[in-house]
Amino acid sequence: MATEKEGGLVFHPLDQFIVKPLFGDGAVHWYTITNVTLWLALAVVAIVALFVIGTRGRAIVPSRTQSIGEVLYGFTYKMVEDVAGKDAVKFFPYIFTLFMFILFSNFLGLIPMSFATTSHIAVTGVLAAAVFLTVTILGFVKNGTKFLSLFWVSSAPLALRPVLAIIELISYFVRPVSHSIRLGGNIMAGHAVMKVFAGFAAIAAISPIAVVSITAIYGLEVLVAAVQAYVFTILTVVYLKDALHPAH
Amino acid sequence: MASGTETTADAAQGSSGMPQLDFATFPNQIFWLVVTLVIIYFVLSRIALPRIAGVLAERQGTITNDIAAAEELKQKAKEAEEAYNQALAEARVEAQKIGAEAKAEIQKELDKAQAKADAEIAARAAESEKAIAEIRAGAVESVKAVAKDTTKEILSAMGSKADAKAVTAAVTARMKG
């Protein structure tokens, strides 16, 4: 997004992230139907299409869409079971919801002219905060005060333990921050970079290079979309494991 | 991508350059995000996940059953083969027995036939010998008669009356010699 003004190129790579009402130009209230609403709804539609309409056959020999649903199910289920253990399986629907929401939002955000909901710290922050709160409360409910042994590294020398406890405590509270900024930052940066290259494409002399770069970065962003969704999910599962089995 | 809305964009952006940090839009985003997550959670946990789990379990069951059935059939085939082999071995033994019996019977019959044939041959030979002896005896008589007749003829030709008794005695004596 670049316009030739009298000072040269002016980039607006962040304009794509602006939240604005879908109908009219009014202020954005909490209930206003915005572009965010639209793309969140499309994520719901995509998930329903894949997991409800795609599996309606309930076939023993699956159709193509049913296979995709089954692969995602099996992959996530195995991840939860392998990382967090058998007793974490009852949290599988929550984790699967998170994973599918982020995965579909990331991919929908890659459609040109779309709005990347997961590039917003408000969205990823809520996701990470929800995970953090759930895991922390769950840890105390399941283990009581034993959950604090997560911060008391019993394998370290006694003199070091208070120091390590402080470090562990800080790292524990930094978790939601890194968890949310990792996802939002990755998606935002990728989209912004593509927009910057799109701005260069307006200049005839370098537009071929810019177009090739956009193509390359788009490919990278497809990878990032999947990888970041996976990373967010597996970190959630790891935190869940810490809550269920706090011993080091 | 917000082409043509740059004026509203600039206004919405506010003082911070990043729309992400425009806190005025946070309640909106969070509200719709929560709505979205709740819908996705209910759709997945109520409809999609039980359905997929059911399909996977059913498939697992089908596969297990099929493998068990295949195993059973394999076992049956093995048993059938064993039964076949056993039947074959039995048949072979039986055949050998029958063969031996037949051979023995034939041998017996053969011996009997041979014995009978031998007896017959012996009887025939005896008969033949008797016949030959008869013939021989007959021949001697004939020779005697011929010799007597010839002697009588020769004697009568020479002019002397032959004494029958003497001729017979002479011929008999000569023939004994």
Side-chain angles (χ1 to χ4, degrees):
Chain A
M1 183 104 307
T3 44
E4 201 88 41
K5 284 188 185 164
E6 52 286 335
L9 282 170
V10 179
F11 294 102
H12 297 291
L14 299 179
D15 281 3
Q16 58 176 323
F17 301 120
I18 292 168
V19 176
K20 53 185 180 294
L22 214 52
F23 311 106
D25 271 350
V28 177
H29 300 290
W30 64 269
Y31 52 82
T32 314
I33 295 177
T34 56
N35 47 358
V36 179
T37 317
L38 171 68
W39 287 95
L40 288 172
L42 286 175
V44 173
V45 169
I47 288 172
V48 168
L50 177 59
F51 288 102
V52 177
I53 300 169
T55 60
R56 72 186 181 286
R58 290 184 178 83
I60 293 288
V61 179
S63 62
R64 266 181 250 174
T65 41
Q66 194 185 324
S67 300
I68 296 170
E70 283 174 11
V71 165
L72 286 169
Y73 178 100
F75 176 77
T76 316
Y77 194 91
K78 198 168 174 335
M79 179 168 80
V80 173
E81 202 175 32
D82 289 354
V83 175
K86 279 237 185 284
D87 47 347
V89 160
K90 59 175 176 290
F91 301 100
F92 167 68
Y94 299 95
I95 288 160
F96 197 62
T97 302
L98 266 185
F99 188 23
M100 288 306 112
F101 169 70
I102 297 169
L103 191 68
F104 277 82
S105 299
N106 284 356
F107 278 130
L108 285 171
L110 282 173
I111 297 171
M113 309 303 289
S114 72
F115 180 87
T117 48
T118 41
S119 69
H120 272 267
I121 196 73
V123 170
T124 60
V126 167
L127 295 174
V131 169
F132 179 76
L133 286 176
T134 312
V135 160
T136 308
I137 293 167
L138 186 74
F140 279 113
V141 169
K142 281 258 169 190
N143 307 290
T145 50
K146 272 192 203 148
F147 183 58
L148 293 172
S149 69
L150 190 63
F151 310 109
W152 197 251
V153 187
S154 50
S155 57
L158 191 61
L160 272 177
R161 282 183 207 172
V163 184
L164 285 175
I166 293 167
I167 295 172
E168 289 282 340
L169 205 63
I170 292 170
S171 85
Y172 188 79
F173 282 100
V174 166
R175 272 179 182 182
V177 178
S178 64
H179 204 191
S180 57
I181 288 178
R182 183 183 300 110
L183 174 60
N186 265 292
I187 303 301
M188 189 195 92
H191 284 68
V193 166
M194 277 197 277
K195 210 29 87 69
V196 168
F197 276 100
F200 282 125
I203 305 168
I206 54 168
S207 71
I209 302 169
V211 170
V212 169
S213 304
I214 291 173
T215 312
I217 292 168
Y218 192 90
L220 186 69
E221 282 308 304
V222 171
L223 196 69
V224 167
V227 167
Q228 285 306 321
Y230 175 67
V231 165
F232 193 98
T233 314
I234 195 144
L235 281 173
T236 304
V237 178
V238 168
Y239 297 161
L240 181 65
K241 191 206 80 178
D242 280 349
L244 295 173
H245 316 283
H248 270 274
Chain B
M1 315 227 165
S3 60
T5 56
E6 274 168 42
T7 46
T8 39
D10 287 341
Q13 254 171 284
S15 52
S16 81
M18 280 171 68
Q20 274 83 356
L21 299 179
D22 181 6
F23 295 104
T25 65
F26 272 35
N28 179 271
Q29 294 192 59
I30 293 168
F31 168 67
W32 288 114
L33 172 67
V34 170
V35 170
T36 305
L37 287 178
V38 168
I39 294 172
I40 293 175
Y41 174 74
F42 276 102
V43 166
L44 287 178
S45 65
R46 291 288 147 87
I47 305 171
L49 298 183
R51 189 184 288 176
I52 294 175
V55 168
L56 291 179
E58 204 178 325
R59 181 173 310 149
Q60 196 55 48
T62 308
I63 290 170
T64 312
N65 282 349
D66 285 359
I67 286 174
E71 203 69 37
E72 204 173 303
L73 288 177
K74 196 180 161 191
Q75 191 61 33
K76 269 188 191 162
K78 216 172 174 181
E79 275 167 20
E81 199 193 345
E82 260 163 37
Y84 165 77
N85 278 341
Q86 198 173 338
L88 197 67
E90 269 170 21
R92 202 166 279 158
V93 168
E94 191 83 359
Q96 249 158 15
K97 213 168 93 187
I98 289 170
E101 261 170 31
K103 207 172 160 186
E105 209 160 301
I106 288 165
Q107 190 64 47
K108 222 164 87 186
E109 214 123 296
L110 202 65
D111 287 347
K112 217 157 104 189
Q114 201 153 5
K116 201 172 150 195
D118 281 350
E120 209 158 301
I121 288 164
R124 287 265 176 86
E127 216 167 279
S128 302
E129 240 157 76
K130 211 168 117 193
I132 290 165
E134 257 167 40
I135 290 165
R136 189 174 286 160
V140 170
E141 283 303 304
S142 300
V143 168
K144 236 183 221 170
V146 170
K148 257 187 239 169
D149 288 352
T150 313
T151 312
K152 266 180 205 165
E153 285 303 314
I154 292 167
L155 286 176
S156 61
M158 284 163 68
S160 66
K161 189 113 166 44
D163 181 17
K165 256 189 189 160
V167 169
T168 305
V171 167
T172 307
R174 190 55 77 134
M175 272 187 69
K176 269 181 188 156

